[in-house]
Amino acid sequence: MSIRVLLIDDHPVVRAGLRSIVESRGFTVVGEASTGEEALAVTSDLRPDVVLCDLRLGAGIDGVETTAALRRMPDAPAVLILTTFDHDAQIIRALEAGAAGYLLKDVDNDTIARAIIDAASGAMVLTPGGDERLIAALRAPRVTLTERERDVLMQVDEGAANKEIAARLFISESTVKTHIVHLLEKLGVASRTAAASEARRLGLL
């Protein structure tokens, strides 16, 4: 019986490319979704064996949240994460959420085909060389932000000044400054711009 595959990616061109690869190897693409919400709405009816899911899905829930929700379903499909960034902290979160593994988007077609078969059989799938990357990521210090620090960081990423952040979040400017100091310390950087950049690299934004 052919393995049934659902594709989740917010870029139509990427989905088309994946469909071509998957179908050329004899698997059945039962559907496509551009958002996590759309995928969750159709999964029960489509009954995929394996879901190929991008980590970053634009607006709405991301690949990690989608993975967790899919894995909570009855007869849950295996979820393979697709990502561009091999150092993305969200890979760890996705694995913790129940993903069968991850692939970098630049892997060859044979690797994708083998990964689908392995995921469908219940095996862990790691992109080539991913075992070393995963071990390094697990050993790296985890950066944990409070909900309010994350709120402030998002405003910083948008370029808002302290006064603007205070007004938007209904807190004092001194409180904003305190949060920013904590953010710089946790992220190990010296500037607001660097904080936003590092947070994005770590998958915190």
Side-chain angles (χ1 to χ4, degrees), residues 157-171:
D157 187 49
E158 292 178 5
N162 287 358
K163 186 174 182 179
E164 293 176 290
I165 297 173
R168 292 176 184 177
L169 300 181
F170 304 103
I171 57 179

Side-chain angles (χ1 to χ4, degrees), residues 11-148:
H11 294 96
V13 172
V14 174
R15 294 200 307 273
L18 286 172
R19 175 180 280 273
S20 177
I21 293 168
V22 171
E23 292 182 336
S24 72
R25 298 311 172 102
F27 307 124
T28 301
V29 175
V30 294
E32 300 180 13
S34 59
T35 67
E37 291 86 351
E38 183 182 345
L40 296 177
V42 302
T43 294
S44 294
D45 290 333
L46 296 178
R47 296 179 292 106
D49 301 304
V50 176
V51 174
L52 297 182
C53 182
D54 192 8
L55 259 184
R56 303 186 179 194
L57 296 171
I61 62 175
D62 62 14
V64 174
E65 294 170 296
T66 301
T67 297
L70 287 170
R71 295 298 297 163
R72 287 194 296 266
M73 289 184 167
D75 301 318
V79 181
L80 267 177
I81 292 296
L82 299 174
T83 180
T84 306
F85 307 99
D86 62 4
H87 56 259
D88 201 322
Q90 289 191 354
I91 293 172
I92 303 298
R93 292 179 53 224
L95 295 176
E96 292 173 342
Y102 77 100
L103 295 175
L104 294 182
K105 287 186 174 180
D106 62 357
V107 297
D108 59 42
N109 296 358
D110 289 339
T111 298
I112 293 174
R114 285 195 302 270
I116 291 172
I117 294 170
D118 288 344
S121 68
M124 170 64 75
V125 177
L126 296 177
T127 205
D131 49 351
E132 292 88 356
R133 295 189 188 102
L134 185 58
I135 290 169
L138 288 169
R139 287 177 175 170
R142 299 290 294 276
V143 176
T144 303
L145 304 180
T146 66
E147 184 175 351
R148 183 54 83 186

